Amino acid sequence: MPQQGLSSLLLPLLLFVLIFYFLIIRPQRRRQKQHEQMLASVNRGDQVVTIGGFFGTVKDVKDDSFILEIADGVRVRILKSAISARRSPAPVSEPKEKEA
């Protein structure tokens, strides 16, 4: 009789662990891997956004940090993990010539 009670408790616990893994752990690992790939692909001249909301241009890449220019002549050193996203540069529209 004690065996029946143990197996009836073990099945819902196993089901809970599987649901937890597929809904929380696996997607988080995927996002972390994508973020690490994004950080590895950041180079000089790329525009990035920090976790603090600062927009900047990468001026130099160090082992564990970046040198960002956040305004004209204002450079800061931040950890690589503080980069939240890489922005693609805004397309520069060429002025259209008017025909006379």
Side-chain angles (χ1 to χ4, degrees), residues 8-57:
S8 67
L9 289 176
L10 202 54
L11 185 62
L13 181 62
L14 181 62
L15 185 64
F16 178 72
V17 169
L18 286 174
I19 290 171
F20 188 77
Y21 174 77
F22 283 108
L23 292 179
I24 297 176
I25 296 174
R26 192 170 177 212
Q28 177 61 30
R29 283 186 182 169
R30 186 178 305 134
R31 281 190 298 270
Q32 183 178 2
K33 187 175 181 180
Q34 289 173 344
H35 187 255
E36 289 172 358
Q37 289 174 345
M38 183 269 304
L39 288 177
S41 69
V42 172
N43 295 318
R44 292 182 68 185
D46 288 345
Q47 294 180 351
V48 295
V49 180
T50 67
I51 57 176
F54 288 104
F55 290 78
T57 304

Side-chain angles (χ1 to χ4, degrees), residues 57-71:
T57 304
V58 177
K59 293 298 178 182
D60 196 13
V61 178
K62 304 287 185 183
D63 289 335
D64 63 342
S65 62
F66 292 114
I67 305 295
L68 290 185
E69 184 172 38
I70 57 175

